Amino acid sequence: MNLKPQFWEILGPFSTGTREQDFGADPLEAYGGFSKLKYSEEQIFSSELADNGTVKWSKIQSNEDGSVGPINFSNIRWNFNKNSLGWSISQFQLWARGYFTVPESSSEHKIPILIQCHNIGDFYINDQRFHGDWYNYRTSYYILYLTVNTQYTINIRVVNEIRIFGDNTPPRITFDCDLRNLELEELGAMFLHERIIVPDLVKGTRFAGEYMSIPILNTLEDEWINVDKVEVVNCPIKIRAELIPTSYDSLTHGISLAPSQHQNIKIRLILEELYYESLLPFSLKFSISLKSLQSQKNFWIKTTKEILIKNKNLDEFYKFTFEDFDESIQYAMIMHPKKHNKPNKSPILVALHGAGVEANAEFWTNAYPKQEFSWILLPTGRTQWGYDWHGPSLLNIQYAIKALMNPTGIFKDYLKNFIPDSNKLFISGHSNGGQGAWYFISHYPDLVIASTPAAGYIKIQQYVPYFWNSYAYIDPILKGILDSSLAEFNNDLYISNLVNIPILARVGANDNNVPPIHSRQMVRLVNEHSHNPLAINLSEVINQGHWFDNVMSDNIMQEFMDKYLLISSQKNFTQLISSQLIDDNLLIKKPILLNKFNITLVNPANFGSKCGIIIEQLIIPFRLGKIYVEIYKVLSENNLFQIIYCLKTTNIKRIKFKKQDEIISLIPFSIEKISKISIDDIEFNFNSSSIIQIFQEDFSFYKNDNGSIWKISNNNTWMYTQKHSLTYGPAHLILESKFPLLIIVGTISISKSIKLKFMNMAQEISHSWYLYGNGNSIIIYDTDLINNNNEFISNESIKGNIILLGNVFENKVTEIIMNERISDVKFYKDGSFQLHYRKFSGPGIGILFLHPYKVSQLSLIISGTDISGLDQISKLIPKRTGVPIPDWIITGPETKWKGIGGLLGAGFWNNEWKFSEVIGYLA
């Protein structure tokens, strides 16, 4: 039964910036909050968007299909406002309120209701908050058990995100909510068919990947369910299916789902007979058995709808599946080369799709023709929007490549003739994927042979409006710290790393989605850093917009691809060194400069290497680090040629070189020839055997504690006590867990409302990770991990990153972990806490901070002084890109309306995981 409200009360619009809503920044909170305001035709509120600077309440009727809008505002002159503020004026927020009543349909006092709102951020049923579906994926829902014959209020915060909805004048703002009774066949669990991942069949003889996944939603109110068994049904050929356990099955007693939790069920497919029906597709269903963990009487057998299996040949793109970094099942599209490249390996053309695009979309697979000697890989980034090809989306690229390279995997027969080379990547992409291409090549330059970023923006802050209301309240020092948490994604900041990489940027001259100025600026910056106005080039196509036929592969683009895909046995370093400079027969009287380059970075966690140099630590985390490198060739006293490295550093604490087998393709000389490495005028001299040891073993060059002298060591015990690339932060790094994300719910608080809030937070986190990252998470109580001696039942069973809900007096695991590694955060029994010298107490305060766990894992600890503080801080648990959250952040009572201006503190830990006034701010 459809329960959607027929009428809505509207209040707004009010100005806002991109992603600002995660921090609160709701102007109505200054008047008590929208939920406390009653509809009134006379009441007015201040808004700079409207004539006379005021807006009023209005009402709107739902459309026949239940959707709402477009919502019009008669007293706003959008075109006039754009004269001064451009398209940023179209970024605004409003509130909508509706009412619905749950009708009596059985003898039950409560009945299950399915709900989700699309194209919005947050919504509230009475006072309980839920995360909406920003991108209209329609793949996730909430299940609420509501009392019959009772009226409920739904309040929706609507934001016109112009990056999602476009720049229309007037803005066409719409939203809709799924709101209906749960169907009988959905009781216990329901399938989410839109997100089922299944591989293609190749030539009727094998699946392109042994894995598939079926998303399931637990629809019970307070019971956990276990998945017991899977079977193939209604299939024309013999296929067997097996459940794949997670790494945490021993802790959760099998594949389990908490109430209202989504989970991608991992399945292995075994083809038991060949299928030669002229490459025709076929369909099958799966039957899955589930049971309640609380009641043995509750048992269900659910059957999916028909699932189509496509049968492909090797002359077209086909879908292959693989285990991603967090053990979830993802897919990518793959195209084989026309010819083998023996004796050389085959390069890989990696093409990154734009925002809102599915990797298997026909227009996208048609964008790249089959190449002579190159594989073509189209990764998903995990979802259509993903994480802007950062973080989990970047790892998705790397793990798709890893799956392609696996000699025992699905490509093992093809690898004999078409051996791919993961160190020879041609990076391409369009729109958001064009930005992703700029990001990849500037952060992992050693892997790149060339690139064609098309219609890519420079960075999110320069693409969509970051004119935040909160800036009126914030200390500039605090703003700088927050900005630093996003600086690693500023592609223009990393420009120096692009020198010597062949790049052809592509843009339509009339592109009004990502204006050409972004590509033009990136080309200018690279050419300036190269001191060559023609170092890289821009192909700007007149009379064309954002997307047009052959934008990625017309004659100009294909000629560029051919040039570098065909000569890819060379790396960019060696391509640019004249052969006469490496001729040992030449008599050299003085040092000859072979190469010089700059390395720039902000975060070692998401940077590969340039010319074999890896940066492991900065002196001051999240401040800009630079290395200026010069490589010379000299004639020794015994007339042998030697190589000298001269490095000058800024804010660099620790570096190392890639291993010998990895660096040989990056340098045009043998390692044995390196006789000296000079770092900030501190010289390290080597003979042929000692330099080989440096490159074979895990040696690092590091500055001593006072920063005056460089030393060398292969002792890695520093990683046990200091930040390193797997733990460097900031907070969003928690999502890059190498196993399913483990969410540990505290149960030892004396407050029942706090314990219930922790469970709601766990469901929110799991929901967002599934919705935006298609990721799996495990929800578990702290007491399920602890024995009677207050010790972990099995410390080795926790393998990935963990999110801890509750402080040391609310969560047993938090207590153990914070006792293992002393933190600058101290908690008190009354819910207050102290960071460094500052104690925080009173209502409405929350804290979120990273804390090390073991050597290479992270924990994210969330706590609040009360329910209000927990509610505010939980909004900042990482969900989407572009939200500036450092290693730790403290929200206060005024954050609701002042946004970041109401923060009580934020910052980064230093390398020893301690507070630093240089990179930390306390109000």
Side-chain angles (χ1 to χ4, degrees), residues 746-909:
T747 63
I748 58 174
S749 170
I750 60 174
S751 168
K752 290 184 178 179
S753 60
I754 290 286
K755 289 190 282 190
L756 179 60
K757 180 62 178 177
F758 287 155
M759 188 60 193
N760 290 339
M761 289 165 60
Q763 291 165 328
E764 278 189 352
I765 297 166
S766 179
H767 175 270
S768 295
W769 179 222
Y770 165 79
L771 176 62
Y772 297 121
N774 197 28
N776 276 356
S777 56
I778 307 297
I779 298 176
I780 194 168
Y781 293 121
D782 57 346
T783 49
D784 291 333
L785 300 170
I786 306 299
N787 61 24
N788 294 332
N789 296 323
N790 209 32
E791 298 171 338
F792 282 120
I793 295 172
S794 174
N795 196 26
E796 298 305 314
S797 60
I798 300 178
K799 302 174 182 178
N801 293 343
I802 55 179
I803 295 180
L804 294 165
L805 304 179
N807 63 40
V808 297
F809 300 102
E810 299 165 329
N811 190 314
K812 283 283 187 183
V813 178
T814 306
E815 179 186 6
I816 292 174
I817 287 178
M818 291 192 69
N819 283 339
E820 290 176 349
R821 294 281 295 273
I822 302 302
S823 169
D824 274 5
V825 178
K826 181 180 179 181
F827 290 106
Y828 299 91
K829 284 186 177 181
D830 63 358
S832 63
F833 59 90
Q834 183 171 325
L835 198 165
H836 196 43
Y837 60 83
R838 175 87 155 81
K839 187 173 182 181
F840 297 89
S841 59
I845 300 174
I847 185 171
L848 171 157
F849 64 98
L850 289 177
H851 186 75
Y853 177 55
K854 298 183 181 177
V855 180
S856 59
Q857 294 165 238
L858 284 171
S859 63
L860 184 69
I861 300 173
I862 300 103
S863 182
T865 56
D866 56 12
I867 291 286
S868 176
L870 279 173
D871 189 69
Q872 183 65 42
I873 195 66
S874 65
K875 294 178 182 179
L876 296 181
I877 297 171
K879 297 186 292 292
R880 298 192 297 159
T881 58
V883 182
I885 308 172
D887 289 350
W888 57 270
I889 196 164
I890 302 171
T891 53
E894 292 187 331
T895 309
K896 291 181 179 180
W897 62 280
K898 287 186 176 179
I900 56 176
L903 293 176
L904 301 180
F908 305 97
W909 303 124

Side-chain angles (χ1 to χ4, degrees), residues 443-587:
H443 288 65
Y444 296 85
D446 275 351
L447 302 178
V448 179
I449 55 176
S451 181
T452 51
Y457 58 90
I458 296 171
K459 55 190 174 188
I460 190 172
Q461 307 95 311
Q462 200 163 327
Y463 176 43
V464 287
Y466 266 71
F467 302 114
W468 287 17
N469 295 336
S470 311
Y471 292 164
Y473 304 106
I474 193 170
D475 187 320
I477 298 299
L478 174 57
K479 182 178 181 296
I481 290 173
L482 296 177
D483 288 345
S484 295
S485 68
L486 297 179
E488 64 184 288
F489 308 123
N490 296 351
N491 293 323
D492 51 349
L493 193 62
Y494 280 63
I495 284 289
S496 72
N497 306 328
L498 298 179
V499 173
N500 291 348
I501 296 178
I503 301 170
L504 176 61
R506 162 56 63 93
V507 69
N510 295 341
D511 189 343
N512 60 2
N513 186 319
V514 181
I517 195 169
H518 288 269
S519 296
R520 295 169 185 166
Q521 182 174 338
M522 289 297 284
V523 170
R524 173 181 64 80
L525 289 171
V526 175
N527 288 343
E528 287 177 358
H529 274 270
S530 304
H531 305 292
N532 176 1
L534 299 176
I536 71 170
N537 294 296
L538 173 69
S539 171
E540 185 168 317
V541 184
I542 62 172
N543 300 322
Q544 295 293 351
H546 190 58
W547 178 266
F548 49 93
D549 290 343
N550 300 316
V551 58
M552 308 306 301
S553 59
D554 63 12
N555 291 338
I556 294 173
M557 300 291 274
Q558 187 60 57
E559 182 179 343
F560 183 83
M561 287 190 285
D562 287 342
K563 179 178 180 181
Y564 293 100
L565 289 172
L566 295 178
I567 63 169
S568 63
S569 58
Q570 304 176 58
K571 294 300 291 185
N572 54 39
F573 186 106
T574 60
Q575 290 168 10
L576 293 149
I577 297 176
S578 171
S579 60
Q580 65 177 346
L581 296 182
I582 57 175
D583 186 349
D584 285 355
N585 295 318
L586 293 178
L587 179 64

Side-chain angles (χ1 to χ4, degrees), residues 4 30 39 43 46 160 214 230 251 289 366 457 469 588 615 660 662 668-669 688 692 786 857 880:
K4 297 180 181 182
Y39 179 84
Q43 193 173 24
S46 296
N160 189 48
I214 299 177
V230 61
L251 299 177
S289 302
N366 287 340
Y457 58 90
N469 295 336
I588 301 178
I615 299 175
Q660 181 177 5
E662 298 175 312
F669 45 78
S688 59
I692 289 177
I786 306 299
Q857 294 165 238
R880 298 192 297 159

Side-chain angles (χ1 to χ4, degrees), residues 300-335:
W300 303 270
I301 298 177
K302 305 280 185 177
T303 303
T304 67
K305 298 177 183 177
E306 286 194 345
I307 298 171
L308 183 67
I309 303 291
K310 295 181 179 180
N311 204 349
K312 297 293 189 73
N313 60 49
L314 299 183
D315 292 326
E316 57 186 331
F317 275 105
Y318 61 85
K319 180 192 294 186
F320 78 93
T321 57
F322 60 95
E323 264 194 326
D324 210 348
F325 66 92
D326 61 341
E327 293 187 344
S328 67
I329 304 305
Q330 308 294 338
Y331 83 89
M333 303 300 291
I334 195 74
M335 174 79 83

Side-chain angles (χ1 to χ4, degrees), residues 367-396:
Y368 294 89
K370 197 176 185 73
Q371 300 295 309
E372 289 292 317
F373 301 111
S374 171
W375 293 82
I376 309 177
L377 177 71
L378 310 181
T380 63
R382 296 179 65 99
T383 59
Q384 296 99 306
W385 285 78
Y387 296 88
D388 294 340
W389 298 107
H390 310 151
S393 295
L394 176 78
L395 287 173
N396 176 257

